[in-house]
Amino acid sequence: MLPVYSGASRRGGAEAFEPARDWGMGPMKSSGTAPKLVATVAFLVLVVGALAAAIWAARGPDGQVLRTADLGVQLVQDNAAVPMTAIEVASRGIDLYSATVNRRAFEIRVPETMWLTPDAEYPALQIAISEDPAIFDMVGFEADREETPFLAGGTGMAMARHGKGPLLTAGDPDRGQLGHNYIVAERFNASTADFRAVLVPAIEPRDGDADLLAEGTAVYLVLYMNTSPDDGTSFNPGFGGDLIRKQETEFIEIRFESDGVAERPAGRGESVRLAG
C-alpha cells in the first residue's frame, strides 16, 4: 500500500439570534377578552411548537447534534445522519463531537455551501486520524500550519485519484513524518448537489494492514478546511503562510459498535479529555 502524496493550489470557499417579553394583563372585561386571550394562547402554542420542531430537526434526539457547528460536517451511515454529542472543552474554547458508528462503511459529508461555486475544487477537506486522542493537542490555533506536523505542506495523502479504498491514519510520531487524508475534487466520491462526501469503507494504520473500523475501539479525527485564506482572496497552496483558526477545524471522536454494543476503551470515561 503506497499513499499518493499531494500538494494543492487555487481558491477557497466562504463560511458562514430576540429577547422574551414579560406579558402583563389588567382586569378582564366581559366584552370579548376571553376569546382574544384564547386566540393569543393558541398562537403562542403554535409558535413554540414550530420553534421546538426546528430545534429538534437541528439537534436530533436526546439533544444530540446532527452536524458540527463550524464546518457542518455530518457522519452518515445507512442513509441516516449519525447523532453526535457535543462536549465542551472550555480550556481550548472548542467542542469535541463524540459519535458511535457500526462496523461498516459510513460517509463524512460537508455541505456544498462550504465552496464558493459548485465547480470550485478548493478548499480541500483535510482529515487526520489517530488511535490516540493526543492528536488533538498537536493542533496549533493561530499558528502557521507548518507547525502542526500532520497538516504541514507535503503531508497530504490519498489512496487514489478518485478516493479508492480506506482512509489512512496520521502515522506514528516516533517513526517519522505524519500525514493527513487530502480530500479534493474527485476524491469526494459519494457526493450530490447538496453535499460533498467521502465514503469510508475502512480505516487503516499508515504503517500496517489492519482495519480499525472492523477491529479497533475508537479513532480521533481532526478535520480542517482552509475556509479563510490569509490573503483574503484566493486559496493558499499549502506550503506555509496559512494560520489554523478554530472555526476552520472540527474534532471528532468515533467509537465503533459491534453486535449492538458500543465498545469503549478500557479505563476511560464518557469522553476523552483534551489538555489545556
Side-chain angles (χ1 to χ4, degrees):
M1 170 175 42
L2 181 63
V4 178
Y5 292 86
S6 167
S9 61
R10 268 216 221 174
R11 11 190 294 186
E15 192 182 289
F17 306 45
E18 185 149 305
R21 180 179 300 177
D22 186 13
W23 295 91
M25 291 185 294
M28 287 195 298
K29 298 180 181 180
S30 60
S31 58
T33 303
K36 292 180 181 177
L37 178 60
V38 171
T40 300
V41 171
F43 174 75
L44 290 175
V45 168
L46 288 174
V47 171
V48 172
L51 288 174
I55 293 172
W56 179 268
R59 299 189 66 84
D62 301 324
Q64 295 172 310
V65 299
L66 299 180
R67 66 174 71 237
T68 63
D70 290 317
L71 300 182
V73 173
Q74 284 188 316
L75 304 180
V76 176
Q77 191 170 59
D78 301 330
N79 294 316
V82 178
M84 297 181 285
T85 301
I87 304 166
E88 182 182 3
V89 184
S91 62
R92 299 291 301 276
I94 61 170
D95 283 335
L96 165 68
Y97 297 91
S98 181
T100 298
V101 303
N102 293 315
R103 295 187 183 278
R104 54 179 178 272
F106 65 95
E107 297 175 30
I108 300 176
R109 294 184 181 180
V110 181
E112 181 63 36
T113 52
M114 296 302 295
W115 287 267
L116 284 177
T117 62
D119 60 347
E121 292 187 359
Y122 298 99
L125 174 62
Q126 300 171 244
I127 307 173
I129 305 174
S130 178
E131 294 182 82
D132 188 344
I135 190 172
F136 296 147
D137 295 316
M138 299 173 68
V139 179
F141 292 130
E142 301 302 325
D144 193 293
R145 186 152 56 98
E146 294 294 312
E147 299 181 27
T148 295
F150 53 80
L151 289 177
T155 62
M157 53 189 176
M159 295 298 290
R161 175 179 178 180
H162 294 282
K164 173 186 177 182
L167 294 184
L168 301 172
T169 64
D172 185 344
D174 297 327
R175 297 182 61 181
Q177 187 183 44
L178 300 179
H180 64 273
N181 298 272
Y182 192 84
I183 312 300
V184 68
E186 296 95 339
R187 293 177 189 171
F188 286 100
N189 56 13
S191 304
T192 72
D194 298 323
F195 61 82
R196 302 186 191 186
V198 56
L199 179 66
V200 185
I203 301 174
E204 294 184 0
R206 183 174 172 178
D207 302 316
D209 295 323
D211 178 6
L212 301 180
L213 179 55
E215 305 170 24
T217 300
V219 290
Y220 306 92
L221 280 63
V222 175
L223 295 92
Y224 171 73
M225 293 183 73
N226 184 17
T227 59
S228 302
D230 291 331
D231 63 7
T233 58
S234 63
F235 177 79
N236 186 290
F239 291 90
D242 175 27
L243 301 184
I244 296 180
R245 297 175 172 85
K246 291 182 180 180
Q247 65 268 27
E248 297 178 315
T249 63
E250 303 286 12
F251 292 171
I252 302 179
E253 171 192 48
I254 302 180
R255 300 172 179 176
F256 303 122
E257 184 176 78
S258 181
D259 299 323
V261 179
E263 298 181 357
R264 301 177 185 273
R268 289 192 42 230
E270 283 301 307
S271 65
V272 298
R273 183 181 67 81
L274 280 68

